[in-house]
Amino acid sequence: MSPVTRILSTLALVVALMGSMLTVIETPIMTLGLFALPVLLVGVLLSILVLAPYRTGLLSGARACAALTGVSLLMAVALLGTVSTYPGAASHGFWAYVLVAWAMAWLSVEELSGLMPQSPLGQRLVALAIPLSFGVWLLILWQLAVVGFGVPRVLLPAPSEIWLRLLSSPQILWEDFRQTFLKAVLIGYALGCGSGFLVAILVDRVPFLRRGLLPIGNLVSALPIIGVAPIMVMWFGFDWPSKAAVVVIMTFFPMLVNTVTGLAAADRIQHDLMHTYAANYRQTLLKMRLPMAMPFIFNALKINSTLALIGAIVAEFFGTPIVGMGFRISTEVGRMNVDMVWASIAVAALAGSLFYGLVTLIERVVTFWHPSVRG
Amino acid sequence: MQPQPADSAARSVIDIAKLSLTFETGDGPVHALSDIDLNIGAGEFVSFIGPSGCGKTTLLRVIADLEAPTGGTISVNGMSPHEARLARAYGYVFQAAALYPWRTIAENIALPLEIMGHSREDREERVRRNMELVDLDGFERKYPWQLSGGMQQRASIARALSFDPDLLLMDEPFGALDEIVRDHLNEQLLKLWAKTDKTVVFVTHSIPEAVFLSTKIVVLCPRPGRIYDIIDNPLPRDRGLDIRETAEFLKVAHRVREGLRAGHSYDD
């Protein structure tokens, strides 16, 4: 048991015991708090029953992990139920129990990361459970804090409200996603990365272009997006092509620079080797330099996967038809429909993460030989 | 560059006359090679030995057309080194194995064959034969990073031999390996040389290695890089590792060491 674990479990136990003396909800009829809320009472009793043997070391390993997870989730459900019945009326006892539930969740994750399952399936499940637990508890604490403190919706809506918005307007969100992601982002990304790659090959082949084109590419990448976006709208119109153009400008340079660096990655011996075989330019490029450059190229692809989304969304702030994620965010902010803004952000975050994940997956297949991948 | 008349010895493979190479650097010219005269006949095993900076690797690179001489003449197989390289006259083994990590061992050995446009069946046949030659059969599907340093260097030798050049140029191929592995590979290399009848030019800074392997030892000395001594090794071609204990071996080694010592014009 590490010092942090010891302190945390002691703290949770003490707070759980003391919590029953504090009021849970600040409403006149409910000042007795705990004893009026039987589900929460059961949760607190259970958490004391788990924490005490855990603290003394009687309970450990997989069983401790299961017990802590189960009870902390039960507490979370009880707390969420309580707070949604009396929004904005949470009192000290309530926050004490939130602390207990969160501490138990922490301890459960710590136990989980200490588990060494033998089977590959078990290892994968553990590897998946840890970030999942983090994400779930982030949402739980967010919900509890927003509802418990009665935070105004305009400042920060609760996850439940965002979720309801996601469920109630899938049509709008899908249209936005199609406009921004499937058209502007993907097409702009393909064009930007593709042209960056081809220009890099050209720059590498023709030395004077390196001196001429690289500084210009650098200059283009330094252009502020909020200055470029309106110009692109004037050039390419209101619809997605102007957004794709912004994405091209943003993704071109990272790909150019990374590919040029990657093409220079082969060392002297590798070049000499191809030279002794009297290999021509094309053979040297295809059989040695491009495979060697792949880690660099994938770096650019990963950087660009997130840059492209940002570029497309921001570009929509400067003129767009009445569809698109950026349009949605900018107009719904003006109408104080913050839950819709957050729903759009959630879609963008999910799409961006999946896109990045997909590129990373392909990278692992292509550069399986690289020390950073083969492990 | 004019090819040397190959009238003299039996099938001369490399003819070098009055060869020099000067690098122009910011601190003035550096005479890497000066006044080199050397003949290497077919089937010989020639070692270049000398302290660092004596130009032994540079001389090998000139033969391979990786450096251009600034004076004198050189011919490889009766051609200029440039023509010889384009004719794929030699296989070159570098100090590092330089295998491509994204290719399996078999694919690495097939690399020169792919570049030279051999058919798939021919490639497979040659890869199999050469992997057997360097005792690597069974490792076809492994990747280089899954093999030890000695095995990687053996694979790189198989790669150099895959297209069956008559001439094998080796630049300190075992320099990075420990002594036990090195002894083992030296023995294997001698067997391989006996089996294939190649001409080998071998750069080393190890006296026992040079004496054990060679039919002819070329001692070079630095500033400017030049040949100090050429020793014809009297040891029989068919030799085992224990020959290194014999008086004859030690005599040759002594002469090499004397040459290296005398060639050092400076003390440090």
Side-chain angles (χ1 to χ4, degrees):
Chain A
M1 199 178 261
S2 73
V4 177
T5 316
R6 192 171 300 139
I7 292 167
L8 204 62
S9 53
T10 312
L11 185 77
L13 200 55
V14 171
V15 172
L17 288 168
M18 281 171 45
S20 50
M21 298 169 205
L22 301 170
T23 55
V24 174
I25 299 297
E26 281 176 347
T27 51
I29 46 159
M30 287 296 174
T31 39
L32 281 176
L34 178 64
F35 300 101
L37 301 160
V39 182
L40 199 50
L41 177 66
V42 173
V44 173
L45 284 177
L46 279 175
S47 50
I48 293 170
L49 283 177
V50 169
L51 278 168
Y54 177 72
R55 175 65 188 82
T56 50
L58 288 172
L59 187 66
S60 64
R63 280 161 64 197
C65 181
L68 286 165
T69 311
V71 176
S72 66
L73 284 178
L74 179 74
M75 284 283 282
V77 170
L79 288 164
L80 288 169
T82 310
V83 82
S84 58
T85 316
Y86 308 101
S91 185
H92 299 96
F94 178 82
W95 298 119
Y97 293 145
V98 171
L99 191 69
V100 172
W102 168 77
M104 282 197 296
W106 175 302
L107 292 172
S108 79
V109 172
E110 192 150 310
E111 281 300 315
L112 194 63
S113 59
L115 290 181
M116 298 286 179
Q118 296 296 311
S119 67
L121 183 71
Q123 286 169 357
R124 185 158 297 177
L125 282 179
V126 166
L128 205 69
I130 292 172
L132 191 72
S133 166
F134 264 93
V136 166
W137 272 92
L138 185 74
L139 290 177
I140 290 173
L141 292 174
W142 177 356
Q143 179 79 22
L144 289 174
V146 168
V147 182
F149 285 122
V151 177
R153 267 186 65 243
V154 176
L155 287 187
L156 186 65
S160 60
E161 286 179 277
I162 299 169
W163 178 245
L164 284 179
R165 177 54 80 178
L166 280 169
L167 289 184
S168 67
S169 13
Q171 185 64 34
I172 295 176
L173 290 169
W174 166 249
E175 294 285 331
D176 289 350
F177 176 76
R178 201 173 59 176
Q179 171 77 8
T180 305
F181 195 87
L182 296 186
K183 290 180 184 166
V185 170
L186 287 189
I187 293 172
Y189 180 82
L191 288 176
C193 292
S195 56
F197 177 78
L198 290 179
V199 171
I201 301 276
L202 200 68
V203 160
D204 174 78
R205 183 74 166 136
V206 188
F208 83 85
L209 286 182
R210 191 195 312 255
R211 272 173 279 158
L213 265 181
L214 274 187
I216 292 177
N218 199 340
L219 190 80
V220 169
S221 80
L223 294 178
I225 178 177
I226 53 167
V228 172
I231 296 172
M232 291 301 126
V233 171
M234 282 193 273
W235 286 3
F236 299 107
F238 276 101
D239 213 346
W240 63 266
S242 58
K243 283 72 197 169
V246 172
V247 173
V248 168
I249 289 173
M250 287 188 82
T251 55
F252 173 80
F253 190 67
M255 181 50 102
L256 173 64
V257 173
N258 272 288
T259 307
V260 166
T261 311
L263 286 174
D267 58 22
R268 171 90 176 271
I269 285 188
Q270 314 272 22
H271 278 284
D272 282 349
L273 185 69
M274 292 309 255
H275 201 60
T276 64
Y277 301 147
N280 60 31
Y281 168 78
R282 201 179 54 85
Q283 288 168 329
T284 308
L285 186 71
L286 291 180
K287 293 200 187 293
M288 177 184 77
R289 301 177 67 209
L290 277 183
M292 210 73 128
M294 276 306 157
F296 295 85
I297 291 171
F298 271 98
N299 251 347
L301 287 174
K302 286 195 288 186
I303 294 167
N304 283 346
S305 71
T306 49
L307 273 185
L309 194 59
I310 296 169
I313 289 176
V314 173
E316 284 182 5
F317 279 54
F318 300 92
T320 166
I322 52 165
V323 65
M325 291 156 112
F327 165 78
R328 194 68 52 206
I329 290 169
S330 63
T331 50
E332 299 295 333
V333 161
R335 297 154 96 188
M336 297 287 188
N337 277 338
V338 187
D339 52 347
M340 192 62 183
V341 174
W342 280 88
S344 284
I345 291 174
V347 172
L350 193 67
S353 309
L354 288 179
F355 191 20
Y356 184 88
L358 185 70
V359 175
T360 310
L361 209 66
I362 298 172
E363 179 189 30
R364 294 184 71 86
V365 174
V366 174
T367 64
F368 68 95
W369 50 270
H370 196 257
S372 68
V373 177
R374 71 186 192 228
Chain B
M1 204 170 299
Q2 282 180 338
Q4 286 280 101
D7 53 358
S8 53
R11 288 212 296 118
S12 179
V13 175
I14 297 171
D15 284 298
I16 301 173
K18 300 258 170 261
L19 182 109
S20 64
L21 200 170
T22 309
F23 292 115
E24 294 298 338
T25 70
D27 302 331
V30 172
H31 300 284
L33 294 172
S34 148
D35 206 19
I36 304 282
D37 285 299
L38 186 64
N39 263 308
I40 297 176
E44 275 196 279
F45 196 124
V46 179
S47 285
F48 295 167
I49 189 167
S52 45
C54 70
K56 55 191 189 295
T57 294
T58 309
L59 184 53
L60 194 72
R61 290 175 65 84
V62 169
I63 296 170
D65 188 37
L66 295 172
E67 307 281 357
T70 47
T73 58
I74 171 168
S75 78
V76 178
N77 279 351
M79 299 175 263
S80 75
H82 182 71
E83 288 162 341
R85 179 173 66 80
L86 294 184
R88 279 104 181 207
Y90 65 85
Y92 200 106
V93 180
F94 292 88
Q95 287 175 7
L99 300 164
Y100 293 156
W102 55 87
R103 283 173 171 254
T104 61
I105 296 302
E107 287 167 347
N108 265 292
I109 295 172
L111 173 74
L113 302 172
E114 283 173 28
I115 289 171
M116 296 169 196
H118 290 250
S119 72
R120 171 177 289 275
E121 299 80 53
D122 186 38
R123 289 204 303 259
E124 278 166 9
E125 209 284 312
R126 282 166 181 266
V127 166
R128 196 190 47 71
R129 181 152 39 91
N130 283 291
M131 289 197 72
E132 227 164 73
L133 202 63
V134 297
D135 261 342
L136 273 180
D137 29 345
F139 292 92
E140 289 83 355
R141 289 170 183 282
K142 292 280 182 205
Y143 285 93
W145 28 277
Q146 296 168 319
L147 265 54
S148 69
M151 290 167 103
Q152 289 184 23
Q153 200 53 281
R154 257 149 58 197
S156 94
I157 294 172
R159 183 180 56 186
L161 292 173
S162 65
F163 53 100
D164 210 19
D166 293 330
L167 179 60
L168 190 58
L169 306 177
M170 306 179 87
D171 182 10
E172 297 191 43
F174 309 137
L177 305 175
D178 67 63
E179 194 151 347
I180 297 162
V181 176
R182 179 192 272 230
D183 278 354
H184 178 63
L185 290 184
N186 280 343
E187 214 175 8
Q188 278 192 320
L189 181 59
L190 266 191
K191 284 196 189 124
L192 195 145
W193 171 62
K195 234 187 288 182
T196 57
D197 226 24
K198 308 268 181 218
T199 310
V200 183
V201 184
F202 189 95
V203 168
T204 180
H205 54 235
S206 156
I207 296 172
E209 192 171 63
V211 180
F212 177 65
L213 291 173
S214 319
T215 56
K216 187 192 267 182
I217 302 161
V218 179
V219 181
L220 290 107
C221 59
R223 288 160 225 242
R226 63 196 186 278
I227 293 175
Y228 181 81
D229 194 6
I230 297 179
I231 302 161
D232 282 312
N233 196 337
L235 299 176
R237 281 198 166 212
D238 186 23
R239 41 187 109 148
L241 276 174
D242 40 6
I243 204 171
R244 294 183 301 182
E245 318 296 331
T246 64
E248 213 172 7
F249 183 95
L250 295 175
K251 213 174 95 188
V252 180
H254 178 75
R255 186 170 156 197
V256 175
R257 185 170 287 112
E258 287 295 300
L260 288 174
R261 197 171 294 158
H264 260 285
S265 51
Y266 56 94
D267 286 304
D268 52 4

